[in-house]
Every structure is written in C-alpha cells, then in structure tokens.
Amino acid sequence: MAKFDTRVQELRYEVVKSVAKHLFDGDFEEKVLDIPKEIIPGPKPTMRCCIYKERAIVEERIKLTLHNSFDNTNVINVIPIACDECPLGGYTVTDQCRGCIAHRCYNACPKKCISFDDNLRAHIDKSSCVNCGMCAKSCPYEAIENKVRPCEKACKMKAISPSSIDNSASINYDNCIQCGACVYTCPFGAIVDESYIRQVINLLKGSENNKKYQVYAVVAPSIGANFYGYKTGQIISAIKKLGFYRVAEAALGADMVALKEAHELEEKQILTSSCCPAFVTYIKNNYPTLVDKISSTLSPMAMISKTLKEHKPGCKVVFIGPCTAKKQEIRWDSVRPYVDSCLTFEELQALIDAKEIDVKSLPESHYEYGSGFGRGFAKCGGLTIAVNQALKESNSDFVAKGVVCDGIDNIKLTLNKLKSENSDFNFVEGMACVGGCIGGPCNLTHEVRDKIMVDKFSTSAESKTISEAIKAAGVIDKDE
C-alpha cells in the first residue's frame, strides 16, 4: 500500500479495495454483506464507539462506490452517521480573557450579547450572537476566537452548514463547486466523493481483454507527484495489468489546450482558463458577467479523450487524476461524449492492490507524448507558461500577461479586479486547489516535495516543445 496523509484516506482506500476485489472476482453480490466485517473485524472498535457503528459507516461508504450512471448531479456527499456533529462553535471567549475593565468587546458588539461574571470575565450569549466578529477584533488580548468546523472552514463557498435535523454537515449544492476541499479536510471522513469503480471494472471486463473495444486510461500530469517509491513507468505498467489497453498522458491534451487557448487569447484579447472545472463552475455561479471570458477550449482531459475517440472509434476512455471536480466535469454535455468514467489516484491505488499487483516487480512502460510544458499543468502557473510558449512557437508577437491564482480566496480577488476592468493582465489562470492539481483532494499525499517531483517529471519529458509533442502524437493511434 502506498503512503497516505491520514487514516481517513486509508479507510477510503480499504473500502474501495475490498469492493474492487470482489467485483474483479465476480462474487460481489454474494460477499457484499461480509465486506464491513472484512474491514472492521473487531472485536474492539478502533475508530468509533463500537464496531457496529464502524461497520454501519462502511456500509454507507460501499453504497457510494456502486453508482453506474451520471443521473445524480452531486459528486460530493455527506454520510450523516459518520459525521461527528462537531460543536457548532462560533465566537467563544477563551481562558485568555483577563477580565479587563475597558470592556471593548461589549462596546463593539452590535447585539449587546456580551455579559461579565463576578470576575469580570466576558461571556457570549449564543442565542443573540450573530457571529459578526466585532468583539474578537476589539479584544486587546485576542481572547475571543472563532471556532469553526473543519469542513465549514475548508469550504470557501460557504456551502456547508449544520443540518436542521441533527446538526450533521449539510451541503448547499447551489453553492458547491465540487472542489473536494471538504472531502480531504473532514477529520472523520464523513464527506466523500462518489466512486465509479464498479463502472470502470465493468468497462474493463466488458471489453473482453480489449477485443470487443479498447479501454484507454488518460492520466493527469500530477501523477508525477504521486506513488512515491515507484517509478512512473511502473505505475503505467500496473494500469495496463488492470486491463487497460493503453495509457495516454493528459499532458498531451494540455499541449493541445495551450496551443488552442493561445490562439483564442490572441483573438479575444482577454481570457480566463477552462482547465479546472471547479474554477469554471465558480465563475458561472458567482461572476455571471464574466462567463463570456471563459475559454471555450476543452480541458486537457477532454481534449486528449476527444482525440482518442476520433482516432479509435468505439474506444472507451477513463480519466485518472487527483480531482473530485473532474467527476462532475465528465457529466457536462460538452465533455460527456469523450470521457466514459473517472478514477482518483486513491482509487487507482486501491484497484492495483485489489488485483495484488506487485508494482515494484514490474518493468517500466514507455509513457510519453506530453511535453514538459504540458506536464507543468499539474502545478499552478504551468498553464500560463505553456500558453506563452505556444504563442512563441506560433511566431506570434502577442504576450499572455497572466495572473496565476490558486485557491478560491485568490481567485475572488483576481476576478473582482477583472470585473472592474482595471486589470493590468489579459489572462487568468485559475486553480481551485491551492498549489494547483498537486494540491487536489485525492492525491495520495500533500507534501512540500510534490512540486519538486512534478518539476522533475516535467523535465524528463522527451518532447521539449509543444510542437514536438503534438507531432509525436501521431503514434497515439498506432498499436504497440
């Protein structure tokens, strides 16, 4: 098993691995009721109050691995029984209160919900408090803190709030952009993304060893920051042993995107990127006046998948990456014809282990076609560099004056400036995850070395220019 950041990730992995094993073996229907006991053998609980609750939560996780259609538009889901119903928090007076006589907190409170005990220490009446934060700002000792649930703090869209029924987390899908920040952050793993592993395994089995149709895997360039301890070529070999016919780089799609987006930028003079589906959704939901500025170019995932479908009619394409929002993107009308399903790197690790594939014993498969610029899309700033490179290779004098913004807070500041029409830039590269795709919620780990690993992966590309990569792509429709 590869290294994960948290026990929550390991638990998700264990559920997917167990389900996948029985799906591969063909005995899932007979064994499904035994899976919770396989994962939680007991007799003593290790995570919750009792093994029965632990097993009940596993049962709910299993249900979210069995979706075969895209009818449900919500990728991110809450498992209420798994939610710890964290204290509602809000502004709270801590032990740092010195019982001063200035009472600035009281004077700052618009609702006058602050009172003092016999020791002059402040207390907040929660029934009146509106969480405006004025008391905290005025306290000279910083003795008033805002206690926020981890999931609510992670969600910059303010899409998560306590349920009116039981105080468990509830998602407002009108605000949710499916970025998955809450999925990674929740300490109890109560917020999860739907899994399409049954659909993917059915695609692989239905291909009859790729004789009936061929199943391609399109892998995100952030693979360079994952599966530490293995060589990328070995992971590609493992993917093929799962039953995939070929493995294509989404980085090649990124090269194609850079070239097309460069031309589009030169034509329209101002543009926002379309690679990150959560970023695109954020603009559509919150900045409708800027929708016409969104690039019409497909994302790298969709671009390379479209190319595969055109070169290999009837083939199936599965995207593998670190992103939950990609599971939403493949449901879009503009993308659905090209991508059949989607896996995360966490799920890929589970599938490899479910098949008991010894990755370290595998030879390295050739994994090429994407340039170093295309692979650079994995980190924030890579797209802007690639667009300028594409303009240069096209002998254009136009320059992409890009602003790189990762994380919703930075994106909001940038879009507000763009909306005011006082911007000194003409291209916005937006990534919902901090750091770009290497900060995606379903990477195996989130470490400082990830950027270094992606840089190394980028420089190892055989194609040193975008033009070289696209020219080399002529071999993509040839059998190995």
Side-chain angles (χ1 to χ4, degrees):
M1 184 183 75
K3 176 185 176 183
F4 293 102
D5 283 339
T6 70
R7 177 68 180 113
V8 169
Q9 288 177 287
E10 290 179 8
L11 179 59
R12 290 202 300 260
Y13 154 86
E14 288 168 2
V15 172
V16 174
K17 175 187 171 183
S18 186
V19 171
K21 182 181 185 303
H22 290 297
L23 288 172
F24 278 128
D25 292 344
D27 62 356
F28 176 78
E29 300 300 331
E30 296 80 22
K31 299 291 187 178
V32 63
L33 297 179
D34 296 328
I35 294 177
K37 294 181 181 179
E38 292 175 4
I39 297 173
I40 310 294
K44 293 182 179 181
T46 59
M47 295 171 286
R48 301 286 183 153
C49 59
C50 64
I51 60 171
Y52 305 107
K53 183 170 184 177
E54 291 181 354
R55 290 171 180 171
I57 293 172
V58 168
E59 289 175 2
E60 295 301 312
R61 294 184 185 280
I62 292 172
K63 292 177 183 177
L64 290 172
T65 68
L66 302 180
H67 289 270
N68 272 329
S69 70
F70 299 152
D71 294 337
N72 181 5
T73 58
N74 304 318
V75 170
I76 310 299
N77 297 268
V78 176
I79 301 177
I81 191 176
C83 182
D84 190 55
E85 300 175 20
C86 308
L88 295 181
Y91 285 91
T92 304
V93 180
T94 70
D95 292 338
Q96 293 298 315
C97 178
R98 304 302 301 157
C100 70
I101 61 175
H103 292 178
R104 287 189 174 91
C105 56
Y106 176 84
N107 294 326
C109 179
K111 295 295 183 180
K112 303 303 177 188
C113 58
I114 294 181
S115 60
F116 304 91
D117 61 22
D118 294 340
N119 295 319
L120 298 182
R121 294 184 181 274
H123 296 273
I124 299 175
D125 181 359
K126 291 292 186 179
S127 65
S128 303
C129 179
V130 294
N131 289 318
C132 67
M134 297 303 294
C135 58
K137 293 177 182 178
S138 67
C139 177
Y141 295 104
E142 298 181 354
I144 303 178
E145 296 180 352
N146 188 19
K147 303 291 186 181
V148 182
R149 285 179 168 186
C151 57
E152 291 185 47
K153 187 175 182 179
C155 182
K156 302 300 182 179
M157 305 309 304
K158 300 188 184 302
I160 299 179
S161 61
S163 167
S164 59
I165 300 176
D166 56 7
N167 282 334
S168 63
S170 177
I171 300 175
N172 179 350
Y173 290 106
D174 290 335
N175 295 340
C176 180
I177 57 174
Q178 316 291 330
C179 69
C182 56
V183 173
Y184 178 73
T185 302
C186 177
F188 285 88
I191 306 179
V192 296
D193 55 303
E194 288 185 354
S195 175
Y196 303 141
I197 60 164
R198 182 163 72 172
Q199 185 187 59
V200 171
I201 291 173
N202 285 343
L203 283 174
L204 293 172
K205 284 187 170 184
S207 73
E208 298 176 2
N209 293 320
N210 292 293
K211 295 177 182 178
K212 188 175 181 180
Y213 52 80
Q214 294 164 344
V215 186
Y216 285 78
V218 169
V219 181
S222 48
I223 189 176
N226 283 272
F227 304 100
Y228 185 74
Y230 303 117
K231 295 179 180 179
T232 301
Q234 291 178 311
I235 298 299
I236 302 308
S237 295
I239 293 173
K240 291 180 179 179
K241 286 189 73 68
L242 286 173
F244 287 93
Y245 174 67
R246 294 279 295 277
V247 182
E249 281 198 80
L252 175 58
D255 288 318
M256 298 174 178
V257 166
L259 188 61
K260 186 172 181 180
E261 211 155 69
H263 293 321
E264 187 178 3
L265 173 60
E266 188 173 13
E267 177 185 345
K268 295 182 178 179
Q269 300 294 301
I270 190 164
L271 208 64
T272 67
S273 63
S274 57
C275 296
C276 173
F279 173 59
V280 171
T281 302
Y282 178 76
I283 295 178
K284 290 180 178 180
N285 289 353
N286 299 278
Y287 292 85
T289 60
L290 297 180
V291 169
D292 63 322
K293 301 294 190 297
I294 301 174
S295 172
S296 62
T297 304
L298 291 171
S299 69
M301 171 191 74
M303 184 70 80
I304 187 61
S305 298
K306 180 175 183 291
T307 302
L308 288 170
K309 293 276 188 174
E310 291 171 347
H311 286 201
K312 289 288 186 179
C315 77
K316 306 296 182 182
V317 179
V318 177
F319 176 74
I320 305 174
C323 183
T324 56
K326 285 295 183 185
K327 293 184 177 183
Q328 179 71 21
E329 183 186 351
I330 66 174
R331 300 175 178 186
W332 294 355
D333 292 339
S334 59
V335 177
R336 188 178 296 189
Y338 312 125
V339 188
D340 296 281
S341 198
C342 181
L343 292 174
T344 66
F345 287 135
E346 287 181 358
E347 292 166 338
L348 173 60
Q349 180 68 63
L351 292 184
I352 290 172
D353 291 345
K355 290 283 283 185
E356 299 182 351
I357 298 172
D358 182 5
V359 179
K360 285 194 174 182
S361 69
L362 297 178
E364 290 187 70
S365 287
H366 186 257
Y367 185 56
E368 191 42 53
Y369 309 135
S371 75
F373 295 98
R375 290 180 175 182
F377 274 49
K379 63 179 184 179
C380 195
L383 170 58
T384 301
I385 294 173
V387 167
N388 273 314
Q389 174 67 18
L391 288 166
K392 179 181 177 181
E393 293 181 25
S394 300
N395 297 317
S396 172
D397 294 328
F398 191 86
V399 177
K401 298 177 182 178
V403 58
V404 177
C405 45
D406 58 335
I408 297 302
D409 289 339
N410 290 329
I411 288 172
K412 184 177 181 179
L413 290 173
T414 302
L415 293 181
N416 283 338
K417 191 172 183 180
L418 181 64
K419 186 178 179 181
S420 69
E421 299 183 354
N422 293 321
S423 60
D424 54 358
F425 50 85
N426 57 19
F427 183 65
V428 179
E429 177 185 342
M431 296 281 196
C433 295
V434 175
C437 296
I438 58 175
C442 296
N443 284 298
L444 302 188
T445 59
H446 301 74
E447 301 179 358
V448 175
R449 70 180 177 198
D450 291 351
K451 182 179 181 298
I452 298 173
M453 292 174 68
V454 165
D455 287 339
K456 183 178 180 180
F457 182 57
S458 297
T459 56
S460 69
E462 294 176 14
S463 297
K464 302 306 178 183
T465 67
I466 292 172
S467 302
E468 286 178 6
I470 293 177
K471 183 178 180 181
V475 303
I476 204 169
D477 61 342
K478 296 179 182 180
D479 294 333
E480 291 185 328

